Amino acid sequence: MDLLRRVQKALALVGLGAALASCSSNRSDQLRLGAGIALTGNAGLLGQDARTGLDLAKLQFAQLQPRLELELEDTGSDEVGATVAFRRLINAKPVAILGPSLSQQGFAVMPMADRAGIPVIGVSTTAPGIPQLGPFVARVASPVTVVAPRSLAKALQLNPGIRRVAVFFAQDDVFCTSETQIFQKAIRAKGLDLVAVQRTSVADTDFQIPITNVLRSRPQLVVISALVADGGNLVRQLRELGYQGQIVAGNGLNTPNIYPVCQKHCDGMLITQAYNPSLDNASNRNLLKLFRRGRSADAVPPQVTAQAYTGYQVVHEALAKLKGTLPKGQSLTSLPLADLRQRLLKTLLAGTYQTPLGELRFSPEGEVVQRDFSVARVSMDADGRSGRFVLQP
Ligand code: 1QQ
């Protein structure tokens, strides 16, 4: 018997054992947290950022109660892969699930978790309608309705002469089709001329013909709603075919993993950010410290890394808070799982969180309420391989 047990036993004799037991590390409060993320396919470059965030959160919260065991499944980048991954995750009986990466997948699989009574928290699903998929659905990624217009406004502020705007959008991705609607509405609201609306596909790699068509309309600003691989190629080919105007990129291109795709041609793109690495709060300081281990001292996490970290953090904090409401000595795992999930959802939605994304809370529907956003300009180094997202004043 180790020393702690001896002391507990002795105290039990005088009725203090239960109190001490609840202060000591409680192994029975190990809970499973599922995550379904696109690690492969055309959103894999975004999903890798999410995996980094989950790995760092796992490190950050490893020593804190309750202990979370992360069960990560690769959803691929389509609905079929996401359905297989979510079936596995649901069978693993997690307390909650983070993900999936894409709204296109979310509309297919978040209702599965919802029907199973499992809180499911989107960490990068930004299309309108996600929180409304069911009572157990929430997200920490701010909706594109809030995010998209900011980069357009910044482009006009930096280039006040812009009148002629063209948009490209991937027609086979629900996030891209909703984002372009928001961009197009904002373009019209600002009295600009929408000179071309060009459909593409997330599977496209060659954009010569659509670009040639669009450039005939002589746009001064091109706004792109696509995912990383197709969007990055589109940016590169736009420049190679001679386009010199401003480019505004949507959230699907919001990762430094785009650098190898559009290389030096990524330079100058504007993208709204729901994460500001210079935010000075404890949670962001922890994230930066962990992220910089093994990287340069000024390395900054991508937005999706911060969002995935935040998803893990809010679940952990809500569980810890819930644990605090239980009678002394009772563990979370002593609750029936369905009850635990329901109480987690209620606690999660009622909380306010200090996260790397700033202060967050949720609407009763599970929509995230976030205050702070910025717009970044991509600045590529001379080698055309590395670069930075530079926040604009
Ligand atoms: C969505 C998104 C993705 C493009 C980000 C990973 O915002 O699908 O809703």
Side-chain angles (χ1 to χ4, degrees):
M1 197 187 297
D2 62 21
L3 183 62
L4 179 63
R5 290 248 186 86
R6 273 179 215 225
V7 174
Q8 280 176 349
K9 194 169 179 209
L11 287 174
L13 295 173
V14 290
L16 293 173
L20 187 64
S22 74
C23 297
S24 66
S25 138
N26 186 347
R27 282 188 181 274
S28 66
D29 256 347
Q30 171 113 11
L31 298 164
R32 189 165 294 147
L33 174 62
I37 299 296
L39 300 174
T40 52
N42 55 8
L45 292 172
L46 285 157
Q48 296 296 341
D49 287 349
R51 175 192 236 164
T52 304
L54 295 176
D55 286 344
L56 298 181
K58 214 165 83 178
L59 281 177
Q60 177 64 32
F61 296 101
Q63 302 311 321
L64 299 175
Q65 280 287 333
R67 298 277 166 86
L68 292 181
E69 177 201 337
L70 186 70
E71 177 107 3
L72 179 64
E73 288 282 345
D74 178 10
T75 58
S77 293
D78 60 14
E79 295 95 308
V80 177
T83 304
V84 173
F86 264 59
R87 222 173 264 147
R88 280 207 199 106
L89 289 170
I90 290 168
N91 287 339
K93 305 203 181 316
V95 66
I97 299 177
L98 302 177
S101 294
L102 299 177
S103 296
Q104 180 75 23
Q105 299 173 304
F107 284 104
V109 300
M110 285 170 136
M112 288 168 63
D114 184 69
R115 280 194 297 274
I118 305 174
V120 56
I121 297 116
V123 295
S124 59
T125 36
T126 62
I130 291 283
Q132 290 75 24
L133 286 172
F136 282 83
V137 183
R139 63 174 158 196
V140 294
S142 280
V144 67
T145 37
V146 173
V147 170
R150 294 167 195 264
S151 47
L152 182 73
K154 182 57 74 179
L156 298 178
Q157 185 194 333
L158 295 175
N159 314 271
I162 287 175
R163 285 284 159 273
R164 305 171 63 78
V165 187
V167 302
F168 286 82
F169 73 97
Q171 61 184 336
D172 45 359
D173 178 88
V174 68
F175 154 76
C176 295
T177 55
S178 46
E179 190 188 56
T180 196
Q181 289 307 324
I182 292 149
F183 275 134
Q184 289 181 38
K185 198 170 150 207
I187 290 164
R188 290 200 192 91
K190 290 195 180 293
L192 304 171
D193 299 332
L194 189 53
V195 295
V197 176
Q198 179 65 54
R199 290 162 185 262
T200 61
S201 160
V202 293
D204 285 347
T205 51
D206 182 350
F207 297 92
Q208 302 243 358
I209 293 169
I211 289 173
T212 308
N213 286 338
V214 167
L215 291 188
R216 274 200 205 104
S217 61
R218 292 176 291 106
Q220 297 162 299
L221 169 64
V222 167
V223 179
I224 299 174
S225 293
L227 298 182
V228 194
D230 51 316
N233 277 313
L234 174 53
V235 169
R236 183 167 54 76
Q237 291 170 32
L238 262 170
R239 295 300 189 204
E240 284 169 354
L241 289 170
Y243 176 65
Q244 292 180 350
Q246 179 70 61
I247 296 177
V248 161
N251 198 46
L253 289 82
N254 199 350
T255 169
N257 293 334
I258 198 139
Y259 303 155
V261 190
C262 44
Q263 302 158 21
K264 64 177 183 192
H265 301 304
C266 307
D267 197 72
M269 269 189 323
L270 296 172
I271 310 185
T272 307
Q273 303 298 310
Y275 171 56
N276 180 346
S278 62
L279 177 76
D280 192 21
N281 70 15
S283 182
N284 191 44
R285 282 194 294 274
N286 289 336
L287 170 60
L288 287 177
K289 197 163 122 199
L290 290 168
F291 186 79
R292 288 172 176 166
R293 274 191 199 158
R295 295 184 174 88
S296 64
D298 60 352
V300 293
Q303 171 193 271
V304 175
T305 297
Q307 288 174 321
Y309 182 97
T310 297
Y312 193 116
Q313 176 187 333
V314 298
V315 170
H316 191 276
E317 280 187 17
L319 283 168
K321 192 165 167 196
L322 181 55
K323 187 173 162 64
T325 65
L326 299 181
K328 278 238 150 45
Q330 191 185 348
S331 62
L332 291 169
T333 44
S334 69
L335 295 173
L337 189 52
D339 192 18
L340 174 58
R341 287 166 172 164
Q342 218 145 28
R343 289 169 74 166
L344 167 61
L345 178 74
K346 201 164 161 229
T347 311
L348 182 86
L349 296 186
T352 299
Y353 305 87
Q354 304 304 326
T355 77
L357 308 178
E359 184 175 291
L360 292 193
R361 45 188 189 80
F362 295 96
S363 77
E365 253 184 342
E367 181 63 281
V368 67
V369 182
Q370 179 180 3
R371 271 199 316 246
D372 304 318
F373 302 92
S374 26
V375 177
R377 183 181 180 281
V378 175
S379 170
M380 295 304 292
D381 298 334
D383 64 5
R385 280 165 219 259
S386 49
R388 274 163 305 132
F389 279 56
V390 181
L391 296 193
Q392 300 300 290

